[in-house]
Amino acid sequence: MLGEGNDKGKFIFEDVRHRAMRGDGRGDARYETEEMKAMLGEDLSTDFYAAGCDFFRPSMDLENSLVLGRENLEKAREQIDNGENVIFLANHQSEADPQVVSCLFEKVSPEMGDLAAHVTYVAGHKVTTDPLAVPFSMGRNLLCIHSKKHIDADPETKPAKSRQNMSAMNSMLTGLREGGMAIWVAPSGGRDRRDVST
């Protein structure tokens, strides 16, 4: 199964700030390591970003979907091109939000499609551990955090989770200092979930 790994092990996310796996041959030095070749196995040439979009695209009615505020998207793209940072705030609708956003941005223009491919999503830690989510997460630029609900759920792991959140914030700060970063945040996150196991 795509992203499942092989007999040498499953895919392991490199850090709290994960860069999308777009397939070898794109000048990404991560693909040159033996460890990455072993983890990805037959999936080494897979563009997980495109695979995720292709998976969800048939379930969308793109022809009848509207993208409002296109002038704001164009302004955001110009700001990013000029080295400024842009933060998108959105209501969290489903686990497929990143793929839906990409497909809708692609509908606006090829340039917006390129913008969508470079967005970094602030995501709950489960997107890197849930076997169903992992292949889709591998195709995304991610900053992974633990929500307050998940931090407080297990007092023994709270210090480690808090350190991971601080690491994620430091990584985001580094990206913002570099400039030209686009971050997608869904402030509502998983707040509608009643159980910390979901």
Side-chain angles (χ1 to χ4, degrees), residues 32-174:
E32 303 304 318
T33 68
E34 293 304 316
E35 181 184 29
M36 186 63 73
K37 290 176 183 178
M39 274 196 294
L40 291 177
E42 294 177 9
D43 293 334
L44 188 65
S45 63
T46 299
D47 180 343
F48 286 91
Y49 173 86
C53 291
D54 291 345
F55 181 86
F56 286 105
R57 194 175 280 112
S59 66
M60 294 180 243
D61 183 5
L62 291 170
E63 187 175 318
N64 292 309
S65 295
L66 297 176
V67 178
L68 303 175
R70 291 178 185 219
E71 61 282 352
N72 293 325
L73 281 178
E74 183 57 40
K75 182 177 179 184
R77 188 185 63 78
E78 289 172 9
Q79 289 173 307
I80 292 165
D81 289 347
N82 290 327
E84 297 177 50
N85 300 305
V86 172
I87 298 176
F88 295 99
L89 298 175
N91 186 16
H92 194 10
Q93 297 295 311
S94 78
E95 297 303 323
D97 285 353
Q99 290 77 21
V100 171
V101 166
S102 291
C103 292
L104 287 171
F105 278 27
E106 289 170 3
K107 177 181 171 176
V108 172
S109 72
E111 294 81 17
M112 290 305 146
D114 289 342
L115 168 61
H118 291 93
V119 170
T120 296
Y121 291 84
V122 176
H125 72 285
K126 291 207 172 210
V127 302
T128 62
T129 57
D130 180 334
L132 186 60
V134 165
F136 302 109
S137 298
M138 288 170 65
R140 296 290 151 177
N141 300 311
L142 300 173
L143 275 166
C144 294
I145 60 168
H146 294 273
S147 69
K148 183 176 182 199
K149 182 184 349 180
H150 285 283
I151 286 178
D152 292 338
D154 180 9
E156 284 187 31
T157 60
K158 183 175 181 175
K161 291 175 181 176
S162 295
R163 282 191 302 275
Q164 181 180 336
N165 278 2
M166 286 303 297
S167 179
M169 293 302 101
N170 286 332
S171 183
M172 180 171 62
L173 184 58
T174 298

